[in-house]
Amino acid sequence: MKNIVIFGAPGSGKGTQSDLLVKHYGFDHISTGDVLRAEIKNDTDLGRTAKAYIDNGQLIPDGLMIDILAATYDALPKQSGVIFDGFPRTIPQAEALKTMLATRGTAVHAMLELDVPDEMLTERLINRGKVSGRADDNAETIAKRLAVYHTQTQPLIDWYEAEGLRHAVKGYGALDDINAALRAVIDNIF
Ligand code: AMP
């Protein structure tokens, strides 16, 4: 069982690259953003709570997010590996993921970081907003999400570096080249 965290700022291409890796390796994929958007679509209690944070560019509180992650992970078929996309986003989430996997006899095996300059992220998210219909892909919320990324999520780079799990790749250029770089890391580890 391989547990891989795909890491990067909003707009860094985590979802796109996860989809390509899933296709190539047959891994399961947990996108916490997708899980929350499905809850919003179904108008559940959780969806209503999540919407207030998401529309404001803020993170869902750690305790709630960790419970959602564990439930989603336990419901997966877990054939050969899992890609965690959009989780963890804070140090308490990374610690909780480590504990959660340890209690299940496994661990995170790699953190793949997509490096993309901020001005490129803003441009990508603005463009995505024109087609995605995502309420949080507007200029004001994008700026908030990037600020939240820098203060709450970016510290995870050093955290995973200290764990000896961090592998950074250039997250811009041709999609296939980025994916090849990610696959090279994965193939080198397993
Ligand atoms: P994403 O699709 O990964 O960009 O996530 C969209 C939004 O969902 C984020 O801006 C957060 O509000 C929320 N979200 C997704 N994953 C998490 C997480 N791990 N912790 C807290 N909030 C999250």
Side-chain angles (χ1 to χ4, degrees):
M1 242 345 271
K2 304 168 179 80
N3 296 295
I4 296 167
V5 169
I6 188 150
F7 181 90
S12 60
K14 299 187 295 294
T16 304
Q17 292 298 332
S18 295
D19 288 344
L20 293 171
L21 294 175
V22 163
K23 220 182 264 176
H24 184 81
Y25 293 102
F27 292 154
D28 295 314
H29 178 203
I30 299 181
S31 157
T32 45
D34 284 351
V35 170
L36 296 170
R37 281 185 289 276
E39 295 285 337
I40 292 172
K41 198 162 161 228
N42 293 330
D43 199 23
T44 62
D45 286 346
L46 171 58
R48 281 189 288 272
T49 303
K51 187 172 169 24
Y53 292 100
I54 292 178
D55 287 357
N56 202 23
Q58 290 177 325
L59 298 182
I60 277 69
D62 284 336
L64 181 56
M65 209 57 235
I66 289 162
D67 288 348
I68 296 167
L69 192 273
T72 309
Y73 180 82
D74 287 336
L76 290 176
K78 295 192 281 293
Q79 314 244 304
S80 57
V82 181
I83 297 189
F84 295 89
D85 160 9
F87 189 101
R89 263 177 154 97
T90 63
I91 286 176
Q93 289 183 15
E95 285 166 346
L97 180 61
K98 185 175 178 176
T99 307
M100 185 200 95
L101 292 175
T103 60
R104 288 156 177 79
T106 186
V108 170
H109 298 105
M111 179 270 223
L112 308 181
E113 175 190 327
L114 292 168
D115 284 332
V116 180
D118 256 29
E119 55 282 7
M120 227 182 256
L121 296 169
T122 305
E123 191 189 323
R124 282 187 188 182
L125 290 166
I126 298 268
N127 284 334
R128 185 173 79 183
K130 292 176 189 157
V131 289
S132 70
R134 273 179 57 164
D136 57 348
D137 283 343
N138 63 78
E140 192 191 340
T141 313
I142 288 167
K144 281 191 200 164
R145 287 160 65 204
L146 289 178
V148 164
Y149 169 77
H150 287 304
T151 55
Q152 300 192 55
T153 306
Q154 209 170 23
L156 285 175
I157 294 176
D158 287 345
W159 193 91
Y160 276 110
E161 177 72 34
E163 295 270 305
L165 294 171
R166 173 181 172 233
H167 303 269
V169 308
K170 192 180 93 171
Y172 51 95
L175 283 188
D176 287 347
D177 292 345
I178 301 167
N179 201 250
L182 295 174
R183 291 200 312 269
V185 174
I186 294 173
D187 294 341
N188 202 27
I189 296 173
F190 299 107

